[in-house]
Amino acid sequence: MLILQKLTVHFRERRYGGKEFSLILPNTDQPGAVHVGNSLQAQVRDLQITHDGSAINQYVTMSLGVATIIPTWKSSTSDLIIKADKALTLSKISRSKFYYL
């Protein structure tokens, strides 16, 4: 969580796997979530944390999968989690470092 402690965006974060975490941004639409994502990536890039042994980059980078949802009576939290996980997977595969659905 060293990286999260250094970021300036305030949010609710939860560990979501070994190297993954989720951010909950209440009342944030897709453009707002993309803006936050871009800000987070820039902050991580500016930290220039050495990533020894990486064939991709000499510094730690951040891949993001962004998903938004307007809740209805038929939606569930798992709908949002599945959508975000898919976006993150697509981000990693495409190496675009950012993907949103």
Side-chain angles (χ1 to χ4, degrees):
M1 293 301 185
L2 172 68
I3 293 173
L4 290 178
Q5 293 169 355
K6 294 183 179 276
L7 302 179
T8 61
V9 175
H10 300 285
F11 46 76
R12 293 182 213 157
E13 53 83 14
R14 298 289 180 261
R15 192 70 148 170
Y16 197 78
K19 298 178 186 176
E20 299 173 349
F21 59 91
S22 64
L23 304 180
I24 308 301
L25 304 169
N27 302 313
T28 306
D29 60 6
Q30 188 174 22
V34 169
H35 176 76
V36 169
N38 285 327
S39 174
L40 293 173
Q41 283 184 317
Q43 290 178 61
V44 168
R45 183 177 51 250
D46 291 347
L47 291 172
Q48 293 191 337
I49 299 169
T50 303
H51 192 189
D52 293 329
S54 173
I56 297 172
N57 199 310
Q58 68 179 1
Y59 299 113
V60 170
T61 60
M62 180 184 281
S63 296
L64 297 174
V66 175
T68 58
I69 191 170
I70 298 173
T72 67
W73 292 108
K74 294 180 181 181
S75 62
S76 70
T77 54
S78 63
D79 295 336
L80 182 59
I81 292 168
I82 290 167
K83 194 175 174 182
D85 189 54
K86 181 177 179 182
L88 177 58
T89 299
L90 291 170
S91 175
K92 290 177 179 179
I93 290 170
S94 68
R95 291 193 180 172
S96 67
K97 302 299 175 209
F98 198 98
Y99 207 95
Y100 59 90
L101 294 173

